[in-house]
């Protein structure tokens, strides 16, 4: 279903500057329409964010592509995602061969994603809770991706990143953010690259917006 639409979306992403063929291939394979409510399924292959309920969104495909490309995932990498939402980003990471761990704070979205992972036979470890404190048990991670906008970079996430690993996180105010790509050089040294401008829903938690 929607094969042609998916192909057009991927070609569109290529034109917009996505160069990692593995990421494009994963986006060609994962059926985005399965991750959105039925009522908006016909919009699933437009390059736009879509509502998934509870005031949350599935990110725009371009955003998913650029974040995933920035993470430079290799097969077998351990990747932590904060903000499971629909589960689409987690499914893309899984398709790239990563061992995926994902955290969602909204119980309803968490339950929905869990059910979908099961239906699609995606072996993804998911947890409901505050992702701003990370998931220490399985750290260190080769990659950490935060799919909600944060006022700053949560310290636990920097700590739970492996040396040489990458942390991709939108940082800014509640309306617009800059995508920060941190590469961990040593325990307290990070190389930082930035891509402007993005607009994510807020990261709410102890080390995020903290309900402000
Ligand atoms: N990655 C998602 C996808 O593929 O559909 C998009 C997620 S949406 C833009 C951001 C998600 O982050 C929302 O589902 C929201 O509930 C969640 N979120 C916000 N703060 C969080 C936190 N502290 N811990 C875990 N999830 C959080």
């Amino acid at each position: 279903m929607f094969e042609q639409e998916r192909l057009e979306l991927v070609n569109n992403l290529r034109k917009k500057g996505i160069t990692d063929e593995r990421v494009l291939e994963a986006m060609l394979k994962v059926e985005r329409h399965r991750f959105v409510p039925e009522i908006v399924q016909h919009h699933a292959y437009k390059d736009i964010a879509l509502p998934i309920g509870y005031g949350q969104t599935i990110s725009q495909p371009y955003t998913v592509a650029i974040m995933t490309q920035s993470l430079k995932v290799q097969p077998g990498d351990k990747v932590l995602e904060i903000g499971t939402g629909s589960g689409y980003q987690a499914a893309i990471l899984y398709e790239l061969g990563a061992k995926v761990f994902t955290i969602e704070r909204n119980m309803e979205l968490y339950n929905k994603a869990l059910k979908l992972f099961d239906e699609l036979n995606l072996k993804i470890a998911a947890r409901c809770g505050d992702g701003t404190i990370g998931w220490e048990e399985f750290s260190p991670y080769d990659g950490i991706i935060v799919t909600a906008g944060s006022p700053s970079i949560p310290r636990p996430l920097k700590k739970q990143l492996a040396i040489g690993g990458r942390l991709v996180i939108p940082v800014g105010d509640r309306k617009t953010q800059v995508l920060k790509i941190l590469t961990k050089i040593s325990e307290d040294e990070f190389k930082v690259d930035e891509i402007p401008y993005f607009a994510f829903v807020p990261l709410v938690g102890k080390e995020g917006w903290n309900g402000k």
Side-chain angles (χ1 to χ4, degrees):
M1 223 169 139
F2 295 116
E3 279 90 0
Q4 188 57 32
E5 286 85 347
R6 218 161 27 252
L7 185 61
E8 279 165 25
L9 170 67
V10 166
N11 285 337
N12 189 9
L13 294 175
R14 198 178 273 115
K15 276 189 208 137
K16 287 184 175 175
I18 304 300
T19 52
D20 188 331
E21 285 300 326
R22 289 179 54 242
V23 172
L24 293 167
E25 220 171 276
M27 294 188 72
L28 191 58
K29 215 156 165 204
V30 177
E31 299 184 324
R32 190 172 186 249
H33 68 272
R34 297 292 308 265
F35 294 82
V36 301
E38 218 175 313
I39 191 157
V40 294
Q41 264 188 2
H42 58 293
H43 293 308
Y45 297 102
K46 291 182 180 153
D47 192 17
I48 52 174
L50 290 169
I52 53 171
Y54 315 97
Q56 303 303 327
T57 54
I58 177 173
S59 304
Q60 181 185 346
Y62 176 77
T63 303
V64 173
I66 195 86
M67 288 180 90
T68 311
Q69 180 168 283
S70 304
L71 208 55
K72 298 201 167 113
V73 182
Q74 295 304 316
D77 276 2
K78 217 196 287 176
V79 178
L80 174 67
E81 179 198 25
I82 312 303
T84 315
S86 68
Y88 178 71
Q89 172 72 73
I92 294 289
L93 295 167
Y94 183 82
E95 187 58 44
L96 285 165
K99 293 188 193 100
V100 186
F101 297 80
T102 183
I103 309 175
E104 171 57 54
R105 73 185 287 273
N106 179 297
M107 178 71 88
E108 281 84 5
L109 289 174
Y110 163 77
N111 283 329
K112 261 182 140 174
L114 214 60
K115 191 163 166 266
L116 191 57
F117 291 156
D118 192 42
E119 270 171 39
L120 300 175
N121 198 26
L122 306 175
K123 308 267 185 277
I124 290 170
R127 204 186 99 181
C128 188
D130 178 8
T132 65
I133 57 168
W135 194 343
E136 202 175 1
E137 194 183 344
F138 299 103
S139 67
Y141 299 96
D142 304 299
I144 301 179
I145 179 168
V146 182
T147 66
S150 183
S152 59
I153 302 169
R155 234 172 316 158
L157 300 185
K158 287 166 96 172
K159 196 153 183 268
Q160 290 172 29
L161 193 64
I163 306 285
R166 282 189 169 72
L167 166 61
V168 178
I169 178 169
V171 178
D173 58 30
R174 278 179 175 268
K175 286 221 170 90
T176 57
Q177 305 89 30
V178 166
L179 194 62
K180 293 205 182 242
I181 302 145
L182 277 72
T183 308
K184 190 162 178 173
I185 310 289
S186 68
E187 231 15 89
D188 46 18
E189 206 184 335
F190 293 82
K191 174 178 168 279
V192 186
D193 293 300
E194 292 183 352
I195 311 176
Y197 297 93
F198 290 86
F200 282 84
V201 294
L203 181 74
V204 181
K206 190 166 175 272
E207 305 275 336
W209 283 101
N210 203 15
K212 277 176 243 164

Coordinates of all heavy atoms in Angstrom, one line a residue, residues 167-206:
L167 N 24.9 12.4 20.1 CA 23.6 12.8 20.8 C 23.0 13.9 19.9 O 23.6 14.9 19.6 CB 23.9 13.4 22.2 CG 22.8 14.1 22.9 CD1 21.5 13.3 23.1 CD2 23.3 14.6 24.3
V168 N 21.8 13.6 19.4 CA 21.1 14.6 18.5 C 19.9 15.1 19.3 O 19.0 14.3 19.7 CB 20.7 13.9 17.2 CG1 19.9 14.9 16.3 CG2 21.9 13.4 16.4
I169 N 19.9 16.4 19.5 CA 18.8 17.0 20.3 C 18.4 18.4 19.9 O 19.3 19.3 19.7 CB 19.2 17.0 21.8 CG1 18.2 17.6 22.7 CG2 20.6 17.6 22.0 CD1 18.4 17.4 24.2
P170 N 17.1 18.7 19.7 CA 16.8 20.1 19.5 C 16.8 20.9 20.7 O 16.1 20.6 21.7 CB 15.3 20.0 18.9 CG 14.9 18.6 19.1 CD 16.0 17.8 19.8
V171 N 17.5 22.1 20.7 CA 17.6 22.9 21.9 C 17.2 24.3 21.6 O 17.7 24.9 20.5 CB 19.1 22.9 22.5 CG1 19.2 23.8 23.7 CG2 19.5 21.5 22.8
G172 N 16.4 24.9 22.4 CA 16.0 26.3 22.2 C 14.9 26.7 23.1 O 14.8 26.2 24.2
D173 N 14.0 27.6 22.6 CA 12.8 28.0 23.4 C 11.6 27.1 23.1 O 11.8 26.1 22.3 CB 12.5 29.5 23.3 CG 12.2 29.9 21.9 OD1 11.7 29.0 21.1 OD2 12.5 31.0 21.5
R174 N 10.5 27.4 23.6 CA 9.3 26.5 23.3 C 8.9 26.5 21.9 O 8.2 25.5 21.4 CB 8.1 26.9 24.2 CG 8.3 26.3 25.6 CD 7.1 26.7 26.5 NE 7.2 26.1 27.8 CZ 6.6 24.9 28.1 NH1 6.0 24.3 27.2 NH2 6.7 24.5 29.3
K175 N 9.2 27.5 21.1 CA 8.7 27.6 19.7 C 9.7 27.1 18.7 O 9.4 26.4 17.8 CB 8.3 29.1 19.4 CG 7.1 29.5 20.1 CD 6.2 30.4 19.1 CE 4.8 30.6 19.6 NZ 4.8 31.9 20.4
T176 N 11.0 27.6 18.8 CA 12.0 27.2 17.8 C 13.2 26.7 18.5 O 13.6 27.1 19.6 CB 12.3 28.3 16.8 OG1 12.8 29.4 17.6 CG2 11.2 28.7 16.0
Q177 N 13.9 25.7 17.8 CA 15.1 25.2 18.3 C 16.1 25.0 17.2 O 15.8 25.0 16.0 CB 14.8 23.8 18.9 CG 13.7 23.7 20.0 CD 12.4 23.5 19.4 OE1 12.2 22.9 18.4 NE2 11.3 24.0 20.1
V178 N 17.4 24.8 17.7 CA 18.5 24.5 16.8 C 18.8 23.0 17.1 O 18.7 22.6 18.2 CB 19.7 25.3 17.2 CG1 21.0 24.8 16.6 CG2 19.5 26.8 16.8
L179 N 19.0 22.3 16.0 CA 19.4 20.9 16.2 C 20.9 20.8 16.6 O 21.7 21.2 15.8 CB 19.1 20.1 14.9 CG 19.1 18.6 15.0 CD1 17.9 18.2 16.0 CD2 18.9 17.9 13.7
K180 N 21.1 20.3 17.7 CA 22.5 20.1 18.2 C 23.0 18.7 18.0 O 22.2 17.8 18.4 CB 22.7 20.6 19.6 CG 22.4 22.0 19.8 CD 23.2 22.6 21.1 CE 22.9 24.0 21.3 NZ 24.0 24.9 21.2
I181 N 24.2 18.5 17.4 CA 24.7 17.2 17.2 C 26.0 17.2 18.0 O 27.0 17.8 17.6 CB 25.0 16.9 15.7 CG1 23.6 17.1 15.0 CG2 25.6 15.6 15.5 CD1 23.8 17.6 13.6
L182 N 26.0 16.4 19.1 CA 27.2 16.3 20.0 C 27.9 15.0 19.7 O 27.3 14.0 19.6 CB 26.8 16.4 21.4 CG 26.5 17.7 22.1 CD1 25.2 18.3 21.6 CD2 26.4 17.5 23.6
T183 N 29.2 15.1 19.6 CA 30.0 13.9 19.5 C 30.9 13.8 20.8 O 31.5 14.8 21.1 CB 30.9 13.9 18.2 OG1 30.1 14.2 17.1 CG2 31.6 12.6 18.0
K184 N 30.8 12.7 21.5 CA 31.5 12.6 22.7 C 33.0 12.3 22.5 O 33.3 11.2 22.0 CB 30.9 11.6 23.6 CG 31.4 11.6 25.1 CD 30.4 10.9 26.0 CE 30.9 10.8 27.4 NZ 29.8 10.3 28.3
I185 N 33.9 13.2 22.8 CA 35.3 13.0 22.6 C 35.9 12.3 23.8 O 36.7 11.4 23.7 CB 36.0 14.4 22.4 CG1 35.3 15.2 21.3 CG2 37.5 14.2 22.1 CD1 35.4 14.8 19.9
S186 N 35.6 12.8 25.0 CA 36.0 12.2 26.2 C 34.9 12.4 27.2 O 33.9 13.0 26.9 CB 37.4 12.8 26.7 OG 37.1 14.1 27.1
E187 N 35.1 12.0 28.5 CA 34.1 12.0 29.5 C 33.5 13.5 29.6 O 32.3 13.6 29.9 CB 34.6 11.6 30.8 CG 33.9 10.5 31.6 CD 32.8 9.7 30.8 OE1 33.0 8.7 30.2 OE2 31.6 10.2 30.8
D188 N 34.3 14.5 29.5 CA 33.8 15.8 29.6 C 34.1 16.8 28.4 O 34.1 18.0 28.5 CB 34.3 16.5 30.9 CG 35.7 16.3 31.1 OD1 36.4 16.0 30.1 OD2 36.2 16.4 32.2
E189 N 34.3 16.1 27.2 CA 34.6 16.9 26.1 C 33.7 16.5 24.9 O 33.7 15.3 24.6 CB 36.1 16.7 25.7 CG 36.7 17.8 24.9 CD 38.2 17.4 24.5 OE1 38.7 16.5 25.2 OE2 38.6 17.9 23.5
F190 N 33.0 17.5 24.3 CA 32.1 17.2 23.2 C 32.4 18.1 22.0 O 32.6 19.3 22.2 CB 30.6 17.4 23.7 CG 30.2 16.4 24.7 CD1 30.5 16.6 26.0 CD2 29.5 15.3 24.3 CE1 30.1 15.7 27.0 CE2 29.0 14.4 25.3 CZ 29.4 14.6 26.6
K191 N 32.3 17.6 20.8 CA 32.3 18.4 19.6 C 30.9 18.7 19.3 O 30.0 17.8 19.4 CB 33.0 17.6 18.5 CG 33.0 18.3 17.2 CD 33.7 17.4 16.1 CE 33.4 17.8 14.7 NZ 32.2 17.4 14.2
V192 N 30.6 20.0 19.0 CA 29.2 20.3 18.8 C 29.0 20.9 17.4 O 29.6 21.9 17.0 CB 28.7 21.4 19.8 CG1 27.2 21.6 19.7 CG2 29.0 20.9 21.2
D193 N 28.0 20.3 16.6 CA 27.6 20.9 15.3 C 26.1 21.3 15.5 O 25.4 20.8 16.3 CB 27.7 19.8 14.2 CG 29.2 19.5 14.0 OD1 30.0 20.4 13.6 OD2 29.6 18.3 14.2
E194 N 25.7 22.3 14.6 CA 24.3 22.8 14.8 C 23.7 22.9 13.4 O 24.3 23.2 12.4 CB 24.3 24.1 15.4 CG 24.8 24.1 16.8 CD 24.7 25.5 17.5 OE1 24.4 26.5 16.8 OE2 24.9 25.5 18.7
I195 N 22.4 22.6 13.4 CA 21.6 22.8 12.2 C 20.3 23.6 12.6 O 19.6 23.1 13.4 CB 21.1 21.5 11.5 CG1 22.3 20.5 11.3 CG2 20.4 21.8 10.2 CD1 21.9 19.1 10.7
P196 N 20.2 24.8 12.1 CA 18.9 25.6 12.4 C 17.8 25.2 11.4 O 18.2 24.6 10.3 CB 19.4 27.0 12.2 CG 20.4 27.0 11.1 CD 21.1 25.6 11.2
Y197 N 16.7 25.6 11.5 CA 15.8 25.9 12.6 C 14.7 24.8 12.6 O 14.3 24.4 11.5 CB 15.1 27.2 12.3 CG 16.0 28.4 12.2 CD1 16.6 28.8 11.0 CD2 16.4 29.1 13.4 CE1 17.4 29.9 10.9 CE2 17.3 30.1 13.3 CZ 17.8 30.5 12.1 OH 18.7 31.6 12.1
F198 N 14.3 24.4 13.8 CA 13.3 23.4 13.9 C 12.2 23.8 14.9 O 12.5 24.7 15.7 CB 14.0 22.0 14.4 CG 14.9 21.4 13.3 CD1 16.2 21.8 13.2 CD2 14.4 20.5 12.4 CE1 17.0 21.3 12.2 CE2 15.2 19.9 11.4 CZ 16.5 20.3 11.3
A199 N 11.1 23.1 14.8 CA 10.0 23.4 15.8 C 9.4 22.1 16.3 O 8.7 21.4 15.6 CB 8.9 24.2 15.1
F200 N 9.8 21.7 17.5 CA 9.4 20.5 18.1 C 8.4 20.8 19.3 O 8.4 21.9 19.8 CB 10.6 19.7 18.7 CG 11.4 19.0 17.7 CD1 12.4 19.7 17.0 CD2 11.2 17.6 17.5 CE1 13.2 19.0 16.1 CE2 12.0 17.0 16.6 CZ 13.0 17.6 15.9
V201 N 7.6 19.8 19.6 CA 6.8 19.9 20.9 C 7.8 19.8 22.0 O 8.9 19.3 21.9 CB 5.8 18.7 21.0 CG1 4.7 18.8 19.9 CG2 6.5 17.3 20.9
P202 N 7.4 20.4 23.2 CA 8.4 20.5 24.3 C 8.8 19.1 25.0 O 7.9 18.3 25.1 CB 7.7 21.4 25.3 CG 6.4 21.7 24.8 CD 6.2 21.1 23.5
L203 N 10.0 19.0 25.4 CA 10.5 17.9 26.2 C 10.2 18.3 27.6 O 10.7 19.2 28.2 CB 12.0 17.8 26.0 CG 12.7 16.6 26.7 CD1 12.3 15.3 26.1 CD2 14.2 16.8 26.8
V204 N 9.2 17.5 28.2 CA 8.7 17.9 29.5 C 9.3 16.9 30.5 O 9.0 15.7 30.4 CB 7.2 17.8 29.6 CG1 6.7 18.2 31.0 CG2 6.6 18.8 28.5
G205 N 10.1 17.3 31.5 CA 10.6 16.4 32.4 C 11.6 17.1 33.4 O 11.9 18.3 33.3
K206 N 12.2 16.3 34.2 CA 13.1 16.8 35.3 C 14.2 17.6 34.7 O 14.6 18.7 35.2 CB 13.7 15.5 36.0 CG 14.5 15.8 37.2 CD 14.7 14.6 38.1 CE 15.6 14.8 39.2 NZ 17.0 14.7 39.0

